[in-house]
Amino acid sequence: MKIVVIGGSGLIGSRVVSQLRQRGHDVLAASPSTGVNTVTGEGLKDAFAGADVVVDVANSPSFETDAAMAFFEAAGRNIFAAEKAAGVKLHVALSVVGTERLTEFGYFGAKLAQERAIENSGVPYTIVRATQFFEFVGGIAQSATQGETLHVPPARIQPMAADDVAAAVVDAALSPGKGMIEVAGPESFPMDQLIRTYLAAKKDRKEVITDPAARYFGIAVDDRSLTPDAGARLGKITFDEWLRRDQTAAA
Ligand SMILES: NC(=O)c1ccc[n+]([C@@H]2O[C@H](COP(=O)([O-])OP(=O)(O)OC[C@H]3O[C@@H](n4cnc5c(N)ncnc54)[C@H](OP(=O)(O)O)[C@@H]3O)[C@@H](O)[C@H]2O)c1
């Protein structure tokens, strides 16, 4: 089966490409660095020729509201026109658990617009909504840092390894369209506890202050904001195991 992975050079995309190739599929990793640009439409017709499935795990280079909205709107228009012309049978995309609860940060409004465009495209689809990647926990810590302290809310978060996200996207690409599904990590944590564990593993001595009023990228969050519904597929890799692998890789 020919599968095009848009964003195939990215954190998730590179894992999806290698997992699909290991299963023997004909995979094209498509991104601006390989001459395929979803915003301008460059290279899409040739990339999609003969493709059965398109997996879109690209991301906007800018998280600023207007730039992210322009990215996902233009990408959606170009991708669905090219998919219909090529007779693509399934579109799989990666989004974020709780997107509609997070729109105080404009990027999530753009992700919601991406999801709506997929639902209205007429192409059979699976939207895989994932929780925050373990690889993104350092970015959460960074955003909460003020000098030598971090202000972090105790709201629950259920992050997961990029390898488990990729495995869920691969399964979606090899199954009939399911509409919207959720995937999450095997355990949930209060966010302040997660960040303390992360900083300790990195031997970072900054102090984490538990602050229920602190925001997550400017968003007021509670235990429901970032966590999945009952019935979400859960990844296998725990945060402790991921930290051990991360430390081994860095050694
Ligand atoms: N961070 C999280 O915790 C989290 C949680 C849930 C879901 N997600 C979602 O996961 C998705 C993938 O994230 P990621 O971290 O794997 O992304 P990433 O590592 O930043 O990779 C982005 C990819 O998009 C490609 N790209 C950028 N502009 C493009 C364009 N105009 N046309 C085609 N491809 C383009 C890049 O290609 P080049 O390398 O050629 O520039 C790269 O392959 C995103 O949609 C994000 O919303 C993220």
Side-chain angles (χ1 to χ4, degrees):
M1 187 152 75
K2 178 177 172 183
I3 303 174
V4 178
V5 181
I6 302 169
S9 58
L11 175 72
I12 302 302
S14 56
R15 288 165 168 79
V16 170
V17 167
S18 68
Q19 290 183 24
L20 283 169
R21 283 191 180 139
Q22 276 164 22
R23 295 203 196 185
H25 295 287
D26 171 15
V27 184
L28 177 68
S31 72
S33 52
T34 61
V36 181
N37 188 322
T38 55
V39 173
T40 63
E42 180 197 354
L44 281 179
K45 184 167 179 253
D46 287 349
F48 288 4
D52 301 285
V53 177
V54 170
V55 174
D56 182 7
V57 285
N59 206 359
S60 168
S62 168
F63 287 74
E64 190 271 322
T65 304
D66 291 345
M69 189 64 88
F71 176 90
F72 286 114
E73 282 181 351
R77 269 196 308 276
N78 291 325
I79 289 169
F80 298 123
E83 285 182 354
K84 284 177 194 161
V88 168
K89 298 179 197 71
L90 176 67
H91 179 92
V92 175
L94 185 56
S95 192
V96 186
V97 163
T99 295
E100 71 283 353
R101 300 189 286 273
L102 305 172
T103 52
E104 264 185 282
F105 183 55
Y107 171 80
F108 291 103
K111 290 295 290 184
L112 214 48
Q114 179 195 19
E115 291 183 346
R116 293 293 95 83
I118 294 166
E119 289 162 352
N120 294 329
S121 69
V123 178
Y125 67 90
T126 300
I127 298 170
V128 179
R129 277 185 161 191
T131 54
Q132 292 62 46
F133 312 154
F134 291 153
E135 288 77 359
F136 185 58
V137 171
I140 299 174
Q142 185 65 44
S143 78
T145 302
Q146 298 165 12
E148 285 306 300
T149 56
L150 290 82
H151 289 252
V152 184
R156 287 215 160 248
I157 182 167
Q158 197 167 334
M160 64 188 299
D163 284 334
D164 278 337
V165 177
V169 170
V170 164
D171 283 353
L174 301 179
S175 308
K178 290 194 168 72
M180 183 95 77
I181 62 168
E182 289 189 325
V183 298
E187 310 159 285
S188 81
F189 310 88
M191 198 186 299
D192 55 333
Q193 183 189 314
L194 177 80
I195 299 300
R196 275 191 200 98
T197 304
Y198 176 80
L199 293 185
K202 296 283 169 191
K203 303 199 177 357
D204 184 329
R205 293 168 176 278
K206 286 193 203 73
E207 185 190 2
V208 175
I209 295 166
T210 303
D211 179 355
R215 289 176 170 244
Y216 171 81
F217 293 94
I219 308 162
V221 284
D222 59 24
D223 284 349
R224 187 67 196 99
S225 305
L226 300 171
T227 45
D229 291 339
R233 166 181 166 147
L234 301 186
K236 294 188 177 70
I237 303 167
T238 64
F239 191 51
D240 281 348
E241 186 182 342
W242 181 83
L243 284 171
R244 274 196 298 278
R245 288 186 196 181
D246 189 50
Q247 277 162 347
T248 309

